[in-house]
Amino acid sequence: MSGTLEHAHFLAWSRQAQACITHASKGTLIFVVGPSGAGKSTLRGHLEKTSYRTDDHSSKNQIPLISVLAANAESGYFSSKDFYSRLLDQAGDPFRRIGTIVGTQQEKMMTPEQLAFLGEEFWSSIRVSMTETRIRRAFEHLAKAVSVQAIFVDEAQSMCLTHVNRSPSDHLESLKILAERLGIIIFLFGTYDLLEIWNHSAQLNRRCRIIHLRRYDDAIKDDRDAFFAVLRMYSKSLKFEEPRTLDRHAKDILAWTLGVFGEVHGLFERAKLCALSQGRDVLHWRDMEAARYTPVQMQRLKHEIDAGEARIRGELTKGPSAVQRSQGNKRPGRRNPDRDPCGLES
């Protein structure tokens, strides 16, 4: 199937997001969390089309938006300097040009104070040689000039992968301050790992909201009925040898995917490859059986979902520790004085 799959849970998430967009206080951080494949990217794309705009050709009734990826830019670690550089780039970064911003479109939208700060020559190399603080200040000025109202951060769980001298919560505090200074709302889209930095402090909790993209639970009748209804929609676009295959095996598919439609889509994609590898463009049920996860893969998927849902319910106070790398001795070959017992203790 192509396009947005507006199933029952998706419609509920859209309403929650719209309520936050319309009524949440400026400076609020919205956590959009769920298992991998739950629909975070789909919801983000839907909100970009319906409530926000990212270019000059969108509706004037929509709100200016910047959407950025929280990438692991430094040896697998999250880099806040790279993050703010990406934000600057999405805002139209005039500092990539040689010289100042005189004569650019951004100049027309800036106040004399902003031009005095941003028009200095050294800004021409900001993304290479300037500090994170200067890059952030440049973004703040530019965001105000172009009237940014919201920021979407995709793959936000990457902020939990930090160097040993940085705490993941530092990045969240930084975003909170950014949202308050600009008077905007920031949406953080991520897997359950993002909850590593949620509930960090009472002050942050006051500024945070959560939209939980939960799975369809086999133990809840309404969830089962809604899941089976969407499977019937899938059956219209898939070529099965027997038309009612999905109806007969709906419970199996729910069990194999744990009610996550991203996993359902992945199951169908793998089944299609199984059929095509045998010279068929029609699916058999045995293709679905061959495409299902192994027991070890199912165990991993279930563990991640169970742990994430428990954290949402407040049953787990802490997530897994952030990935950190030991710095080791600064002087190679030198032993730590307390490494081995010595003297009378040996």
Side-chain angles (χ1 to χ4, degrees), residues 31-51:
F31 283 68
V32 183
V33 298
S36 178
K40 296 179 292 294
S41 296
T42 302
L43 179 62
R44 176 177 54 80
H46 175 73
L47 294 176
E48 288 179 357
K49 293 177 182 177
T50 58
S51 300

Side-chain angles (χ1 to χ4, degrees), residues 254-274:
L254 176 56
W256 294 351
T257 61
L258 297 182
V260 179
F261 271 110
E263 296 293 344
V264 174
H265 183 73
L267 177 66
F268 289 148
E269 287 295 312
R270 295 191 299 273
K272 287 179 185 178
L273 290 177
C274 288

Side-chain angles (χ1 to χ4, degrees), residues 102-121:
V102 175
T104 67
Q105 185 66 28
Q106 285 81 6
E107 178 192 19
K108 301 176 183 178
M109 298 182 285
M110 292 184 179
T111 65
E113 179 187 4
Q114 291 167 341
L115 281 173
F117 178 74
L118 298 174
E120 303 173 29
E121 285 189 4

Side-chain angles (χ1 to χ4, degrees), residues 276-307:
L276 290 172
S277 67
Q278 297 177 27
R280 292 183 281 105
D281 60 357
V282 175
L283 289 172
H284 296 169
W285 177 245
R286 64 176 179 271
D287 297 322
M288 300 289 288
E289 292 178 317
R292 63 181 293 191
Y293 279 157
T294 66
V296 173
Q297 289 174 310
M298 281 300 301
Q299 184 180 16
R300 167 58 62 184
L301 178 63
K302 187 176 187 304
H303 171 74
E304 291 181 359
I305 291 176
D306 288 346

Side-chain angles (χ1 to χ4, degrees), residues 65-314:
L65 164 75
I66 288 179
S67 185
V68 66
L69 177 69
N72 297 335
E74 294 185 358
S75 303
Y77 292 124
F78 176 77
S79 166
S80 50
K81 181 177 181 179
D82 176 76
F83 176 74
Y84 284 108
S85 294
R86 288 171 182 266
L87 282 175
L88 194 60
D89 184 59
Q90 291 300 311
D93 182 8
F95 313 116
R96 288 173 295 176
R97 303 179 178 89
I98 302 296
T100 67
I101 61 174
V102 175
T104 67
Q105 185 66 28
Q106 285 81 6
E107 178 192 19
K108 301 176 183 178
M109 298 182 285
M110 292 184 179
T111 65
E113 179 187 4
Q114 291 167 341
L115 281 173
F117 178 74
L118 298 174
E120 303 173 29
E121 285 189 4
F122 64 78
W123 285 113
S124 61
S125 61
I126 184 172
R127 291 162 62 84
V128 178
S129 60
M130 292 299 102
T131 65
E132 176 185 331
T133 301
R134 299 290 271 175
I135 295 174
R136 178 188 169 114
R137 287 182 62 196
F139 170 72
E140 289 177 0
H141 280 282
L142 191 56
K144 289 179 180 178
V146 299
S147 301
V148 169
Q149 296 297 308
I151 295 175
F152 282 4
V153 182
D154 201 10
E155 301 294 337
Q157 73 276 359
S158 297
M159 290 190 296
C160 297
L161 301 172
T162 65
H163 289 282
V164 71
N165 59 337
R166 291 294 298 269
S167 169
S169 59
D170 292 345
H171 304 307
L172 190 63
E173 290 280 0
S174 178
L175 287 178
K176 178 183 74 71
I177 294 171
L178 179 67
E180 291 174 347
R181 284 182 179 174
L182 297 181
I184 63 175
I185 296 175
I186 298 180
F187 281 79
L188 302 169
F189 296 83
T191 63
Y192 287 130
D193 291 335
L194 179 58
L195 297 178
E196 162 79 14
I197 53 178
W198 174 62
N199 196 27
H200 169 63
S201 69
Q203 183 184 19
L204 274 173
N205 287 346
R206 184 168 57 86
R207 286 291 186 181
C208 295
R209 302 292 181 270
I210 284 189
I211 299 176
H212 180 203
L213 275 58
R214 70 179 185 88
R215 64 190 177 93
Y216 284 85
D217 193 336
D218 186 29
I220 302 174
K221 183 180 183 303
D222 288 344
D223 277 13
R224 291 197 304 271
D225 292 343
F227 184 88
F228 298 156
V230 178
L231 279 188
R232 286 191 287 272
M233 294 170 56
Y234 265 108
S235 65
K236 298 177 182 178
S237 61
L238 294 170
K239 295 181 180 179
F240 274 95
E241 183 181 35
E242 299 179 14
R244 295 185 59 82
T245 296
L246 290 185
D247 284 339
R248 288 198 298 272
H249 297 282
K251 291 182 179 180
D252 292 324
I253 296 174
L254 176 56
W256 294 351
T257 61
L258 297 182
V260 179
F261 271 110
E263 296 293 344
V264 174
H265 183 73
L267 177 66
F268 289 148
E269 287 295 312
R270 295 191 299 273
K272 287 179 185 178
L273 290 177
C274 288
L276 290 172
S277 67
Q278 297 177 27
R280 292 183 281 105
D281 60 357
V282 175
L283 289 172
H284 296 169
W285 177 245
R286 64 176 179 271
D287 297 322
M288 300 289 288
E289 292 178 317
R292 63 181 293 191
Y293 279 157
T294 66
V296 173
Q297 289 174 310
M298 281 300 301
Q299 184 180 16
R300 167 58 62 184
L301 178 63
K302 187 176 187 304
H303 171 74
E304 291 181 359
I305 291 176
D306 288 346
E309 291 178 345
R311 229 172 297 152
I312 287 285
R313 295 191 299 267

Side-chain angles (χ1 to χ4, degrees), residues 323-337:
V323 176
Q324 298 178 338
R325 183 173 297 170
S326 173
Q327 297 293 322
N329 294 326
K330 293 183 178 180
R331 294 173 59 184
R334 182 176 181 180
R335 294 166 61 85
N336 293 328

